[in-house]
Amino acid sequence: MVFCHCGSTLGAAMKRKRALLIRGGRIICPASGRDEVGDVYVRDGLIVASGEGEAGREVEIDASGMIVCPGLIDIHVHLREPGAEHKETMETGTRSAVRGGFTTVCAMPNTSPAPDTAETVAAILTRVRQAAWCRVGIIGAATLGNDRSTLTDYAALADAGCIAVSDDAFMLRTREQRREALLRCADAGLRMIAHAEREELSAGGVMHAGEVARRLGLMGQHPEAEVRSLEDWRDAWDDDSTPPPLHIAHVSTAAGVEFLREWQAGPSAETAPHYLALTDEAVVEHGANAKMNPPLRTEEDRQALIEAVADGTIAVIATDHAPHTTEEKAAGMTEAPFGIVGLESALSVLLKYLVASSAMLLSDVLRAMTQSPARLLGIAGGTLEAGAPADLLVFDPEGERVVDPAQFESSGRNTPFAGERLPGIVKTVIIGGEIVLDGGEFAPRRPPSPGSDRYHE
Ligand SMILES: [Zn+2]
């Protein structure tokens, strides 16, 4: 049964919604193993079997030549609201998500105030209901006020509606903290999303420590910062038979991949499109628009990450969408903040660098952006099976566009893909049976409170 966070059933809340038929597309649903040309039926906000959908059909969408798949789910997004609305807001960030084909994003907790108590989580959920164009899951802060010292009450955060907790940008410092955090997560039924970085190996570095950094005369972050941090997390969970309630954010190195592969009963993990597409060479051309943490690595690392996604060692692709202002990014490699935007380019970047290059099957890419993140965090959606929420994406895999940051819905323009010709045009996005993007055009009004839905068992 699917509930919205206020406890009413999603189906009941959407009774008045119209029926839809998405006709003649290539349906790819990794969760149900479907890859075939056919029709998808929607009624009362849910996917329904063909017989049920036929009777009440009111709107038909021609999807011939298109891919029809579950709406994309991004579990690592910095929406910046509250506290840094000059970089992004609930509205601009979630419109950016819809433009990129996402129906659910999960908001990282490095905001001000942070979602660190039931009250602050409730305030952010209110903003979601007021302003979001897609579903938003709230990731709670691992420490109070992101102070890196006092762990928050994870059970209270879970009760308030958080779908995970994270120390992204404000890493836990000690073994005792990490161990206590994992135990609290286990009790609360949440997962800790960890930013894996041993700081003494990265301090002061603005890009990957390697040949390119030396050539540019820039201070580098040692790649071992990642694997040493993974060792720290493993050390904090001294149980070899039970997987820790742990998810490793934005894995960037071959050594990290190797460590995860050998960690039997280990954590889940994600990487981002930019680590799968680019190397530290991108800094030469794009400067601070290719500066993020962890940094872009080497070709060997990139190949190891592609292999890890293909074999499931890394189950999830998430963007780490991190908008900053143009002025901030103009400060140059040393001074500019870390992070790039990703929501409006992720699908196209993966289509070009992984699918068109035959490095990965489209269905495997979509699995890492639909079924896997949904299952991992218990998020509604990620499947086109009957009874699931009608969160769908229709995109043209052949159509191309030149990435123009000036056209982004996001307030952030900081992308290394600016000016690049990429395949994949997002045509239609449906959330809970509501058409939010129609033929590339936004609906005149945002869908009524897409909210923060999740499965409760
Ligand atoms: Zn992040």
Side-chain angles (χ1 to χ4, degrees), residues 184-389:
R184 288 188 190 192
C185 277
D187 283 344
L190 295 178
R191 211 169 264 260
M192 161 65 70
I193 302 178
H195 177 119
E197 176 184 345
R198 176 86 72 80
E199 289 169 280
E200 66 259 32
L201 292 168
S202 61
V206 299
M207 65 177 294
H208 172 72
E211 191 268 318
V212 181
R214 278 193 294 281
R215 208 189 325 148
L216 296 174
L218 292 170
M219 182 101 133
Q221 292 192 3
H222 199 288
E224 277 196 21
E226 184 170 276
V227 73
R228 296 284 163 254
S229 173
L230 294 180
E231 289 172 5
D232 292 340
W233 279 102
R234 179 160 191 172
D235 180 51
W237 185 254
D238 47 12
D239 178 347
D240 286 339
S241 56
T242 315
L246 176 65
H247 175 80
I248 306 299
H250 43 50
V251 176
S252 67
T253 64
V257 166
E258 204 45 48
F259 190 87
L260 290 170
R261 204 170 266 142
E262 285 170 11
W263 186 346
Q264 300 296 323
S268 56
E270 85 200 18
T271 191
H274 41 274
Y275 304 115
L276 296 165
L278 304 176
T279 67
D280 55 351
E281 286 286 350
V283 174
V284 176
E285 184 181 348
H286 300 287
N289 281 335
K291 178 184 179 182
M292 75 291 289
N293 191 19
L296 297 169
R297 304 289 187 183
T298 67
E299 180 60 17
E300 185 198 339
D301 294 305
R302 187 177 85 90
Q303 291 300 334
L305 291 168
I306 291 172
E307 211 172 293
V309 175
D311 74 13
T313 302
I314 294 177
V316 171
I317 300 174
T319 65
D320 196 5
H321 177 85
H324 295 291
T325 66
T326 303
E327 295 70 37
E328 288 168 319
K329 279 297 195 181
M333 273 304 284
T334 303
E335 297 300 323
F338 291 99
I340 62 170
V341 292
L343 289 168
E344 286 167 82
S345 57
L347 177 63
S348 293
V349 165
L350 295 167
L351 287 173
K352 172 174 172 177
Y353 288 90
L354 297 187
V355 181
S357 69
S358 300
M360 208 179 293
L361 295 171
L362 176 56
S363 56
D364 286 341
V365 169
L366 293 178
R367 182 191 313 280
M369 302 176 85
T370 58
Q371 176 193 15
S372 296
R375 290 213 175 145
L376 189 73
L377 296 185
I379 296 166
T383 175
L384 298 181
E385 288 161 303

Side-chain angles (χ1 to χ4, degrees), residues 79-89 112:
L79 289 177
R80 304 300 189 203
E81 184 177 351
E85 288 84 352
H86 60 293
K87 295 177 193 268
E88 191 81 292
T89 64
S112 182

